[in-house]
Amino acid sequence: MSQKYAAIHYASYLQLDKILGAQKSRSAEFGKEAQDEHLFIVVHQVYELWFKQIIHDLKAVYTIFAQSKVQEQDLSQCIHLVERSISIFKLMVQQIEVLETMTPMDFLEFRNYLFPASGFQSFQFRICEVMLGLKNKYRITYNNYHYHVFFDEAQKKELDELENAPSLLELMEQWLERMPFLEMGDFNFLDEYQEQLKEMLALEKKEIQETPYLDEHMTQIRLKMLGDAETFYQNIFDKTQYQQKLDEGEVRISYRAMLSILFISLYRHEPMLQLPYQLIVKFSELDEFISLWRFRHTQMVKRTIGQKIGTGGSSGADYLLQTTLKHAIFSDFYHTSTLMIPRNHLPILPEEIRKKLNFLYT
């Protein structure tokens, strides 16, 4: 038999001796083992294994989008890999339920042995965050420290290299900016969209004014809300104002990338836009489930230690809640939902563009 197909045992293949021998209870070292410390260790080790898988898959997506031209046939692979990361985060959210079988009293039996260890020191999770696009300038500071101070020199170097390299968010932005359909021939998507938007808002105003079901007070409230929406649209499509928001960190992607997401989302039924739309949705979902995992972690910490300071010295649940609210990465991808208009108001695409957006068989 060739060496390539030599027999191997299940335990050897999975290196179970290393994995199953890696649960070292600190409480046991100090005299009496706390029953739930073993669970605490296992759950966090499983998290780290899942982070390793996510990094492995994100690197493959990164390689595809780092190219100057992203091949259409590679998009389905990217969608598949991002979908898997979503499934993993869903599972990690469920794992919190297992950890919550440990009561506050159970945790107190070994918590003092953990100082100053903290989940904040998870190197792999920091890699996930930075690869996706959570660079240092967008982070909430942890006790006024740069987040990489807790890692060794080799790890700091790796994180710095990631900080200085384009993130997946930035690579996606570049890819979106290259989309050619916003201006083609005599067609200008933004002009056509704004024209349809004006018609839609004028029609809504007429319907509010003419409906017999609203009294004068409610009519004025609805008209004011409609006026506020119109002002919002005008501000969004003012390129100078948008750039100011970008400079101030209120938005993360360029004006053209935002318009591309809007175009893809509105015309997602066109064959060539279906995969790009799915990819945008999947990155939005990944962001959502990372935030959900953060939030569930926050709730678990609140339930387990209340208002106590975290083992790593953070403000505990308060710090974790802030990261949930502030550390979103792809929020600009789903904020364009605000700009959606009904299908009957969609600008009609010229036949030349429709043909380019179709799959052709010759």
Side-chain angles (χ1 to χ4, degrees):
M1 182 183 291
S2 78
Q3 187 62 32
K4 180 178 179 182
Y5 298 107
I8 187 168
H9 192 275
Y10 173 84
S12 301
Y13 178 65
L14 296 179
Q15 299 191 57
L16 293 183
D17 56 336
K18 295 179 182 177
I19 295 173
L20 300 181
Q23 294 75 43
K24 305 296 184 184
S25 168
R26 290 269 291 168
S27 57
E29 290 178 20
F30 285 92
K32 184 181 178 182
E33 182 174 8
Q35 176 65 32
D36 282 35
E37 187 178 1
H38 187 274
L39 171 70
F40 187 84
I41 293 169
V42 168
V43 169
H44 287 83
Q45 286 178 337
V46 171
Y47 279 147
E48 290 298 327
L49 286 171
W50 283 133
F51 292 151
K52 186 170 186 179
Q53 181 62 47
I54 291 168
I55 291 167
H56 180 72
D57 288 340
L58 289 182
K59 282 181 177 178
V61 177
Y62 190 100
T63 299
I64 290 170
F65 275 90
Q67 301 173 81
S68 58
K69 183 177 181 182
V70 178
Q71 301 298 323
E72 294 295 324
Q73 57 266 36
D74 289 334
L75 290 183
S76 60
Q77 173 71 353
C78 292
I79 292 167
H80 167 68
L81 294 175
V82 176
E83 252 181 349
R84 180 151 67 203
S85 293
I86 293 168
S87 295
I88 290 171
F89 269 101
K90 286 180 180 179
L91 185 58
M92 292 200 298
V93 169
Q94 293 175 336
Q95 281 179 203
I96 291 175
E97 293 181 16
V98 179
L99 198 53
E100 284 180 330
T101 63
M102 178 183 67
T103 69
M105 289 292 285
D106 295 330
F107 187 43
L108 286 175
E109 287 188 18
F110 63 91
R111 183 174 186 256
N112 286 342
Y113 300 126
L114 304 182
F115 295 107
S118 167
F120 189 85
Q121 298 159 359
S122 172
F123 176 62
Q124 290 195 119
F125 186 53
R126 298 300 161 225
I127 288 178
C128 291
E129 290 179 322
V130 181
M131 279 186 69
L132 286 168
L134 187 58
K135 300 290 184 77
N136 188 52
K137 64 181 178 179
Y138 298 110
R139 286 182 181 274
I140 297 170
T141 58
Y142 179 82
N143 293 341
N144 296 317
Y145 290 118
H146 189 290
Y147 71 94
H148 76 7
V149 299
F150 301 101
F151 304 114
D152 63 35
E153 291 306 314
Q155 291 172 328
K156 286 179 184 177
K157 182 181 177 187
E158 186 172 347
L159 288 170
D160 284 340
E161 286 172 354
L162 285 173
E163 281 278 348
N164 294 321
S167 66
L168 268 168
L169 174 63
E170 291 165 323
L171 293 176
M172 284 283 290
E173 176 189 48
Q174 293 167 16
W175 172 69
L176 288 162
E177 287 174 341
R178 295 196 294 268
M179 193 185 75
F181 302 111
L182 296 178
E183 304 98 11
M184 187 170 281
D186 295 330
F187 177 77
N188 183 292
F189 165 67
L190 182 56
D191 290 346
E192 297 286 342
Y193 172 87
Q194 288 180 308
E195 190 61 36
Q196 289 297 317
L197 192 60
K198 286 178 186 175
E199 288 185 19
M200 184 189 77
L201 292 171
L203 181 61
E204 286 187 18
K205 182 177 181 180
K206 184 172 183 289
E207 289 174 346
I208 290 171
Q209 290 171 328
E210 295 179 357
T211 181
Y213 301 107
L214 296 175
D215 59 27
E216 181 62 24
H217 177 64
M218 288 305 299
T219 297
Q220 292 306 313
I221 290 176
R222 293 290 184 91
L223 288 173
K224 182 181 183 308
M225 290 169 64
L226 189 63
D228 291 342
E230 189 171 4
T231 301
F232 169 78
Y233 289 126
Q234 289 170 352
N235 289 341
I236 281 292
F237 294 112
D238 183 318
K239 195 170 182 179
T240 302
Q241 287 198 36
Y242 188 93
Q243 185 60 46
Q244 185 177 343
K245 289 177 181 289
L246 189 63
D247 293 340
E248 293 172 355
E250 288 185 43
V251 293
R252 298 275 304 275
I253 60 171
S254 70
Y255 187 70
R256 185 173 179 85
M258 180 271 292
L259 291 180
S260 292
I261 291 176
L262 179 60
F263 182 89
I264 291 167
S265 299
L266 289 172
Y267 296 101
R268 59 186 180 274
H269 54 279
E270 299 292 346
M272 287 295 289
L273 297 180
Q274 290 176 17
L275 287 180
Y277 176 70
Q278 286 183 48
L279 189 63
I280 289 166
V281 168
K282 291 305 171 187
F283 271 111
S284 299
E285 285 184 13
L286 178 58
D287 206 26
E288 175 187 340
F289 279 100
I290 293 173
S291 294
L292 179 58
W293 179 69
R294 291 185 195 274
F295 179 72
R296 282 291 286 114
H297 184 208
T298 301
Q299 294 303 101
M300 180 201 66
V301 168
K302 244 195 233 182
R303 175 182 172 184
T304 307
I305 68 170
Q307 296 300 312
K308 292 186 179 76
I309 293 172
T311 51
S314 76
S315 57
D318 288 342
Y319 168 77
L320 293 172
L321 182 59
Q322 286 302 306
T323 64
T324 302
L325 298 172
K326 302 292 186 181
H327 283 183
I329 298 168
F330 293 93
S331 53
D332 290 329
F333 282 28
Y334 43 82
H335 283 169
T336 51
S337 297
T338 313
L339 306 174
M340 294 291 102
I341 57 176
R343 287 186 175 88
N344 62 329
H345 283 283
L346 276 182
I348 297 173
L349 296 175
E351 190 60 25
E352 176 193 4
I353 294 180
R354 296 274 321 263
K355 284 181 179 178
K356 290 180 185 297
L357 290 173
N358 276 324
F359 295 134
L360 300 179
Y361 174 77
T362 58

